[in-house]
């Protein structure tokens, strides 16, 4: 079941004629800060996660690493949920590289970005920031000739920290409100990094974004600004930061946009996406998933706050549901794919 | 008017619901051989032509060079005809970089290719050749979820020489049968380069393609092999070589494919696309353009055998005609765009 939290967007999904699933990937050196993210088995491996997620999404296997990305606890990437969910719908999957240290070994759209640096120093130079916005906007414009809806997911380890920084830097109250792929959100560490990053902040919008944002956030905002139809931002609290960037450039655009996420993000007690979406003024819907019926422990733990969202899992589940699949169908498909992975691993 | 030369394909264009215009770009060091191509004001500048063509197609202006690509005589790129023609239809323009020395400063799809080397030595290593085929096939497969027709154009200076080499190497009689962007086709030079390239040729198909083909030909073949619908190969004699590669991998696929070109290619006395298309067994249609009514000399000289085709100009004109434009509409639009270019230059 799809549930509406803020605004009304589900009707737009039901009437959409043609949409792709776009995965925007990037890396930020913020993910190298020990303890800040679990999206990778170690800080160094976090730089491989976006490329591996993109490969799994498109191919059903990874090339840049031998297995799918996992947390240090061994919980698999939400790309599994995304791929399983998209099997219920007929969509073209497009990967956009907004700036990744490791490139996926599949076709991807290059928008001339660069990997993000540590936001305590500076994430991106102004020229790269402008180029990401410009090229992503152009891409969004071109896609308007084919599609009337875009579904945009993301993969970038430590992206919730850069999101918190962007939101706070743009004047929202975001401290402690972003989520985490871990059930024990490392709030103190994130807060410290963000407060450090906010020191000596440029006063103009572009300077703030260049210093604080990761390339994914800027590219997602750019694609959305260029696209003429409706947009489902498939992600968690990070997407409120993408929406905030969109709002800086075109406030009117927000009425065409909703964030589509998972139950685990909306119900999370360690973050507050409802507050963030309200502050920014963007619609919010979610897929009411229940993974407690899964055969696999690695999947059941989603119910305990592990992973929660990523690689557009929530948005992809919403698409599956729009196309007639229910929770049980999705879980069965996720279970089957996970079983195959376990077999191919052994 | 669209004319059918071999097979019957026009009906497929009329019933197509949704198609993009894909421009596959690449460079080959064959273009550095003095006198072999006029697709660039000098041999060194030929490496800028594909990127500049892609930029002009998408943006209406170039970024990697200050003006549009021109021949040493000052005749403008056929990208002008393509952009003018596509203004009559609503299509997404996708640029695929199959291997270019100079990258376009716009969004493009990267398929992990490399620029082609001099075919008298070796164009590409086997690993790169396989990667281009594999990733291009994957791209074609993904596009099948959105589109029922692909229109694929190309930009690669000296591409007719590599096309002649591929055709000859795969067993066709192609010597002196490929066209040229110059009214005085440098046939002797091309023949000499191709005969040199054919020495010490590997005996297996992949080896032959790796040695002789440019990255564009391999990528166009790969995309076509992966795509499930109909395909219009928008180009001249080069596209018979792309069709020949497709045939090596999947002979059945040819029935879904036609080459769509210009009158100037079909009527050219210095080349023989009809013979090549017949030998390979691919359908052939063309746009019956007449540029003698243009206001500009640089455009009227198309009637004298300058340029003839490129950047999918023929296929784009065919799309314009399918969408109701006639020759006069297209020429008027080309003239307007050329006037704007002359104004912005002065």
């Amino acid at each position: 079941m799809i549930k509406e939290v803020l605004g009304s967007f589900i009707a737009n999904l039901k009437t959409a004629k043609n949409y792709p699933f776009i995965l925007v990937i990037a890396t930020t050196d913020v993910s190298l800060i020990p303890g800040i993210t679990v999206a990778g088995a170690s800080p160094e491996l976090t730089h491989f996660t976006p490329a591996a997620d993109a490969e799994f999404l498109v191919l059903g296997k990874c090339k840049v690493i031998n297995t799918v990305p996992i947390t240090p606890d061994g919980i698999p990437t939400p790309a599994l949920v995304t791929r399983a969910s998209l099997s219920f719908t007929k969509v073209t999957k497009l990967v956009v590289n907004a700036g990744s240290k490791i490139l996926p070994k599949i076709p991807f759209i290059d928008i001339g970005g660069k990997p993000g640096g540590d936001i305590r120093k500076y994430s991106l130079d102004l020229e790269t920031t402008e180029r990401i916005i410009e090229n992503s906007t152009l891409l969004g414009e071109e896609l308007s000739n084919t599609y009337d809806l875009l579904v945009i997911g993301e993969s970038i380890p430590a992206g919730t920290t850069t999101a918190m920084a962007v939101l706070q830097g743009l004047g929202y109250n975001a401290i402690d409100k972003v989520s985490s792929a871990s059930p024990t959100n490392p709030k103190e560490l994130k807060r410290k990094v963000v407060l450090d990053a906010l020191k000596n902040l440029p006063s103009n919008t572009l300077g703030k974004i260049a210093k604080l944002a990761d390339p994914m956030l800027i590219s997602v905002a750019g694609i959305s600004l260029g696209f003429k139809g409706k947009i489902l931002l498939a992600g968690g609290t990070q997407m409120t930061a993408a929406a905030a960037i969109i709002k800086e450039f075109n406030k009117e655009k927000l009425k065409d946009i909703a964030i589509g996420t998972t139950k685990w993000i909306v119900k999370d007690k360690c973050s507050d996406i409802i507050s963030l979406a309200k502050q920014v003024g963007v619609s919010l819907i979610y897929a009411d998933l229940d993974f407690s019926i899964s055969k696999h422990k690695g999947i059941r733990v989603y119910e305990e706050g592990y992973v929660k969202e990523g690689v557009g899992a929530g948005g992809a589940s919403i698409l599956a549901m729009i196309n007639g699949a229910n929770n049980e169908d999705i879980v069965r498909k996720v279970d089957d794919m996970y079983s195959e992975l376990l077999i191919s691993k052994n």
Side-chain angles (χ1 to χ4, degrees), chain A:
Chain A
M1 223 181 139
I2 310 166
K3 297 210 172 170
E4 226 139 25
V5 183
L6 296 170
S8 57
F9 197 81
I10 297 176
N12 293 321
L13 298 176
K14 288 186 176 157
T15 56
K17 287 194 195 86
N18 205 355
Y19 49 86
F21 181 87
I22 299 175
L23 180 70
V24 180
I25 62 169
T27 55
T28 163
D29 285 345
V30 175
S31 75
L32 301 178
I33 301 170
I36 209 152
T37 178
V38 293
S42 71
E44 290 67 37
L45 280 175
T46 57
H47 277 170
F48 286 82
T49 298
D53 275 341
E55 291 168 351
F56 184 79
L57 176 73
V58 172
L59 287 178
K61 63 179 180 186
C62 301
K63 289 179 149 187
V64 294
I65 56 174
N66 284 331
T67 175
V68 297
I70 52 167
T71 68
D73 295 323
I75 317 295
T77 168
L80 197 62
V81 180
T82 310
R83 187 170 163 89
S85 296
L86 292 183
S87 73
F88 295 99
T89 160
K90 189 171 169 278
V91 291
T92 291
K93 296 178 276 286
L94 297 172
V95 173
V96 174
N97 174 34
S100 300
K101 276 267 168 76
I102 306 294
L103 297 177
K105 296 183 174 185
I106 52 170
F108 61 85
I109 300 173
D110 192 301
I111 48 94
K114 280 183 188 166
D118 189 327
I119 58 174
R120 293 172 298 186
K121 293 169 196 154
Y122 221 97
S123 181
L124 294 160
D125 58 83
L126 284 176
E127 195 188 334
T128 303
T129 306
E130 281 179 327
R131 195 167 59 239
I132 295 175
I133 294 174
E134 195 177 319
N135 279 338
S136 298
T137 303
L138 191 57
L139 175 62
E141 282 169 8
E142 275 303 329
L143 295 175
S144 303
N145 289 321
T146 292
Y147 301 107
D148 58 353
L149 168 73
L150 294 186
V151 182
I152 314 180
E154 56 69 36
S155 175
I156 175 166
T160 54
T161 304
T162 48
M164 193 207 283
V166 166
L167 286 163
Q168 200 69 22
L170 292 177
Y172 302 96
N173 176 10
I175 298 291
D176 292 354
K177 289 191 163 58
V178 297
S179 78
S180 160
S182 163
T184 53
N185 195 339
K187 286 186 179 183
E188 274 181 46
L189 177 57
K190 284 186 187 177
R191 199 188 310 144
K192 192 173 174 312
V193 170
V194 168
L195 292 178
D196 266 8
L198 290 169
K199 288 173 190 165
N200 305 316
L201 195 64
S203 58
N204 64 327
T205 302
L206 199 74
K208 285 178 186 170
I209 293 167
K211 177 160 195 332
L212 303 173
D214 60 59
M216 178 283 288
L217 287 174
I218 303 171
S219 181
V220 169
I223 295 169
S224 303
L225 286 163
F227 188 67
K228 294 182 180 68
K230 304 292 176 185
I231 299 151
L232 185 67
L233 298 177
T237 49
Q238 286 163 270
M239 288 303 186
T240 63
I245 297 174
I246 294 165
K247 194 178 172 184
E248 292 291 318
F249 291 95
N250 182 355
K251 200 173 172 177
E252 282 302 298
K253 192 77 207 174
L254 283 191
K255 70 175 178 358
D256 294 327
I257 298 175
I259 293 172
T261 192
T262 64
K263 178 193 74 176
W264 307 298
I265 291 288
V266 174
K267 308 279 186 196
D268 183 24
K269 288 189 169 53
C270 299
S271 67
D272 193 350
I273 194 171
I274 299 175
S275 160
L276 293 174
K278 267 188 191 162
Q279 288 182 60
V280 176
V282 64
S283 296
L284 176 65
I285 61 177
Y286 71 95
D288 196 14
L289 297 164
D290 177 2
F291 278 10
S292 64
I293 59 169
S294 170
K295 290 190 294 186
H296 302 286
K297 184 167 187 302
I299 303 300
R300 285 198 301 274
V301 293
Y302 274 65
E303 293 297 327
E304 294 164 29
Y306 287 86
V307 184
K308 298 188 193 78
E309 172 62 287
V311 199
S317 305
I318 288 168
L319 291 182
M321 289 170 171
I322 286 286
N323 283 278
N326 61 26
N327 180 69
E328 206 185 325
D329 299 326
I330 295 172
V331 176
R332 200 184 304 124
K333 192 78 193 170
V334 171
D335 276 0
D336 289 351
M337 282 191 184
Y338 195 46
S339 298
E340 279 173 40
L341 283 178
L342 294 175
I343 291 165
S344 66
K345 204 180 162 189
N346 294 324

